[in-house]
Each structure stands twice: as C-alpha cells, then as structure tokens.
Amino acid sequence: MKTIDELLADGVSGKRVFVRADLNVPLADGTITDDGRIRAVVPTIKALADAGAEVVVASHLGRPKGAPDPAFSLLPVAERLAELLGTPVAFAEDTVGPAAHAAVDGLEPGQVAVVENLRFNPGETSKDDTERGEFADRLAALADVYVGDGFGAVHRKHASVYDLPARLPHYAGYLIAREVGVLKKLTDDVKRPYVVVLGGAKVSDKLAVIDQLLGKADRLLIGGGMAYTFLKAQGHEVGISLLQEDQIPAVKEYMERAEKNGVELVLPVDVLVAPEFPDLKTKAPSHPTVVDADKMPADQEGLDIGPKTRELYASKLGDAETVFWNGPMGVFEHPDYAEGTKAVAQALVDSDGFTVVGGGDSAAAVRTLGFDENAFGHISTGGGASLEYLEGKTLPGLAALED
C-alpha cells in the first residue's frame, strides 16, 4: 500500500487530488455536534494543499437513499473544514455534475473544494458493479490522483471507496495509515493482558468480533444494552431492558467457549434502572435506581452499569497492557446514565497500557464527556470498520489501496 508520503515525494503541485474522506459527522438541526472526523482528515488535506495540489474532497453523510436531501448536505462540513484549515473551501452543490466540475476547474494550486454528498447518487452504494463503475468513472474525471483517507467507510464496497482507486493512481492518506497501524497492534503483536470492553445497543452487532476475540483477548467486559442479553442468558430477569432473545443461544455458546478458552468474561453486577427511557432533548432528571444485576424489577429498564460494576471494570482494566473499547456502557447522552461510560473512559486514561477507543459512539462519548483525546493511545474514526478488521474480514477499501 503506497502512502501519501510517497505521493508527496513524487510531487503533486498542479495535480488534482481526489481525497475520499469520512466526514459523516453527527448533525442536530444543521449544526455539527462532533467534528472529530473532520479534524482527523485535516493533516492529509493540509499536506496536499501545502504541496500545491488542487484538492477535491468527497464524503458521504447519513443515508439519503440515492437522491439529494438537504438534511444530509455537506455544506456545514465544508464550512467547518474551512475554519479548521484557516482558508476558504469551495463547495459544489452536486457531486459529478456541472457544479462539481466548475468548482474543480476553478481551483488553483493549494486550494480545496468539497463536492456534495456522494450518496446523493445511487451509483455510490449500488450493488450492481456496472452502475457503481459508471459512477466511479464520473468521479475519476474530477482528478488525476486518488487518496483514500475515509477509514470509517473502508468496510463498504462503494464506488468512491472500492471502484475509484482502480481508475487512478492511488495512495493511503495519513489517517488510514495510522488506523491500520493501530489495528495491527490489536491483532498481530498484542501486549498482554489484552482487555476488550464492548458495549452499545445490540449484541448482534458484536457477535462476530466476540467470536474472534475469544481466541485472542484475555478479558471481555460487557456493558451497554447488549449486556442484558447476556444477563438473560444466565437466567436473570432483565425487565423491559433492550433484549435480543434470538441471540441468547449464541450468547450461551460464547459464554461456554470463554470459560473453556480461559477468557475472563465479565458482566455487570449492578445496573441503573428506570421505568422508562429518559428524555434526551430536555435532559430532565429521571431518578434512576441502583439494583443488583440479578434482581432487576420486571417493569424497569436497565440504562447504565452501576457503581459496583464501574469499580469492577476499572480494576479489570488496571493491569492491561492493551485495551480496545467499542460501545458505551449506558445512555451516556443523559447525565443520569453517563457515569458508567465515564468510568470506563477514565480507566483507559489512567492505564499505562496502549488504549484504543473504537470509533462511533465511544469516540463521541469521550469528547462529549470532556476527556482530552490525547489521553488515549488512539481514537478511531471508524467503529464498524474497526470491528470488521478485528473480525478478520477483508475490507474492500483497504484491498483497493493495495498494489
């Protein structure tokens, strides 16, 4: 895989460089609530612009279903990118149409343009190779060189991620190179004890990675909504908590395998419960109750790990040499249920080991809860991509960057 450093060494002044970024940031009423993914690609864009390239930046945002939708416009992203770069950024109101070509044709060396959401075009996500290829041809007409730096999208076989690199000289940007380097530390030469913390809503989203980790990790700490399927598999009442009953047989099998393989699988010993889901807009107090994990009331919902579990998980992370964390421990967006996620984040900060926050909600949580990003070994920009890499899958976007 060639890197951007090799591209810069060959010289890019006056060349049009297409940067496939992952600018899929959360928005609330058109306002960016977490700009981490934009900041993550700035080093690549700045290095190219400083070297005299004409930089064309493209990304998806949300799921607009193959047609323009103002709610998913990249305009706010382009404006924030301009602020971070400290220089004007042109914005094209389409992706491969007249506006895109006008914006690109208007670039001078060192300037940057952002084209509109790639997913406004059905060819971007099409499962038909011909339709996807035709869209990739139109994207290729915008540039001379391709730089892949959208790590959060490399597990997708999409036109701008998989097909476009085959049509242009291609290189990996700084972000992808760094992400892959970090993930190799979690798979190839792991320092032990290796502790993995998994949370989030659905256990089904994590089954494949759990399957792989049962042969690699020393400890698995389970939290978030997925924990209640594990507790139910143990025969406990989980009330009206999030539950995937169809996954209970698989969870039971994994629990048996963990014991057989000598992997310590740790579940919550107490939880915060409430009779209904909290209001995330008003953040009104919901007055949760702490109960033992095996004594949950039938009419209550588990929404965070309890204080004993926070202490337990911190102790299990205390001697770790390598930590991978993906998924919050509770509904961290509400102050009543943020302490579990905060406790895990603090344990990673306090750790002397190599700590990786695996993207998605976990990355948003550490920023929302006020942690210094530099206190972690690495904060990934791609939760799904990170998990699929750890599952041992071939990621289309990385395969496309290989020579």
Side-chain angles (χ1 to χ4, degrees):
M1 185 185 293
K2 292 182 180 179
T3 68
I4 187 175
D5 285 331
E6 294 172 80
L7 172 60
L8 293 171
D10 291 340
V12 293
S13 182
K15 291 183 179 179
R16 290 179 181 171
V17 181
F18 186 103
V19 177
R20 202 321 182 171
D22 175 17
L23 306 176
N24 186 28
V25 296
L27 294 170
D29 299 322
T31 301
I32 297 168
T33 58
D34 180 4
D35 68 355
R37 285 179 168 169
I38 306 174
R39 288 186 286 110
V41 77
V42 164
T44 290
I45 296 172
K46 191 173 187 310
L48 290 167
D50 287 349
E54 298 167 12
V55 187
V56 182
V57 182
S59 175
H60 69 286
L61 177 64
R63 301 186 182 214
K65 300 181 180 179
D69 184 337
F72 298 109
S73 174
L74 281 173
L75 179 57
V77 172
E79 293 170 345
R80 179 59 180 146
L81 180 60
E83 293 173 356
L84 292 169
L85 290 171
T87 186
V89 170
F91 179 70
E93 294 181 349
D94 58 32
T95 307
V96 290
H101 282 275
V104 171
D105 290 343
L107 290 174
E108 298 290 338
Q111 294 183 339
V112 179
V114 172
V115 297
E116 186 55 284
N117 194 334
L118 289 160
R119 290 186 184 174
F120 284 2
N121 304 268
E124 169 67 2
T125 59
S126 175
K127 289 182 168 53
D128 181 87
D129 291 347
T130 299
E131 184 178 13
R132 220 175 45 246
E134 289 173 352
F135 183 54
D137 288 338
R138 298 182 70 187
L139 290 172
L142 295 173
D144 307 307
V145 181
Y146 177 92
V147 171
D149 216 27
F151 179 74
V154 294
H155 58 315
R156 307 294 188 192
K157 192 176 181 181
H158 290 171
S160 65
V161 175
Y162 178 76
D163 302 273
L164 182 55
R167 289 157 167 78
L168 295 171
H170 47 270
Y171 301 81
Y174 290 128
L175 175 60
I176 278 187
R178 186 167 71 252
E179 294 270 15
V180 171
V182 166
L183 288 170
K184 285 183 176 178
K185 289 185 179 182
L186 300 177
T187 53
D188 296 344
D189 186 22
V190 181
K191 292 185 178 180
R192 299 185 180 278
Y194 177 22
V195 183
V196 176
V197 186
L198 295 177
K202 295 182 179 179
V203 67
S204 57
D205 293 341
K206 308 286 169 68
L207 284 180
V209 75
I210 292 172
D211 183 62
Q212 287 292 315
L213 291 170
L214 287 176
K216 295 178 180 177
D218 298 298
R219 291 180 204 130
L220 286 176
L221 313 183
I222 306 295
M226 63 184 288
Y228 303 106
T229 302
F230 278 84
L231 292 171
K232 186 71 172 180
Q234 288 185 323
H236 301 313
E237 171 67 59
V238 297
I240 56 173
S241 305
L242 189 62
L243 174 65
Q244 290 185 286
E245 291 207 45
D246 61 321
Q247 302 298 330
I248 288 176
V251 166
K252 285 183 176 179
E253 179 191 343
Y254 287 162
M255 292 168 75
E256 292 169 2
R257 276 181 53 200
E259 184 174 3
K260 181 180 178 181
N261 293 351
V263 177
E264 189 179 3
L265 197 156
V266 188
L267 298 176
V269 295
D270 62 346
V271 296
L272 268 66
V273 298
E276 60 185 13
F277 199 82
D279 189 325
L280 299 184
K281 286 190 175 180
T282 66
K283 308 291 176 73
S286 61
H287 308 294
T289 303
V290 178
V291 298
D292 290 341
D294 60 354
K295 293 182 175 62
M296 292 180 63
D299 62 347
Q300 302 276 304
E301 179 176 7
L303 296 165
D304 194 14
I305 57 174
K308 291 179 184 177
T309 306
R310 293 174 219 150
E311 291 183 13
L312 173 64
Y313 284 13
S315 71
K316 297 295 183 181
L317 289 162
D319 65 345
E321 289 293 331
T322 305
V323 180
F324 174 74
W325 170 32
N326 181 283
M329 296 294 98
V331 187
F332 73 91
E333 299 92 340
H334 192 287
D336 288 350
Y337 307 102
E339 293 304 316
T341 302
K342 191 181 295 184
V344 168
Q346 188 61 55
L348 266 65
V349 170
D350 294 339
S351 172
D352 293 327
F354 178 62
T355 58
V356 179
V357 179
D361 287 340
S362 305
V366 298
R367 288 188 278 265
T368 299
L369 297 174
F371 286 91
D372 180 357
E373 293 182 47
N374 296 320
F376 303 90
H378 179 70
I379 297 180
S380 178
T381 57
S386 296
L387 288 175
E388 291 198 15
Y389 189 100
L390 293 181
E391 289 168 22
K393 290 184 177 179
T394 297
L395 304 188
L398 296 185
L401 292 175
E402 299 285 352
D403 291 321

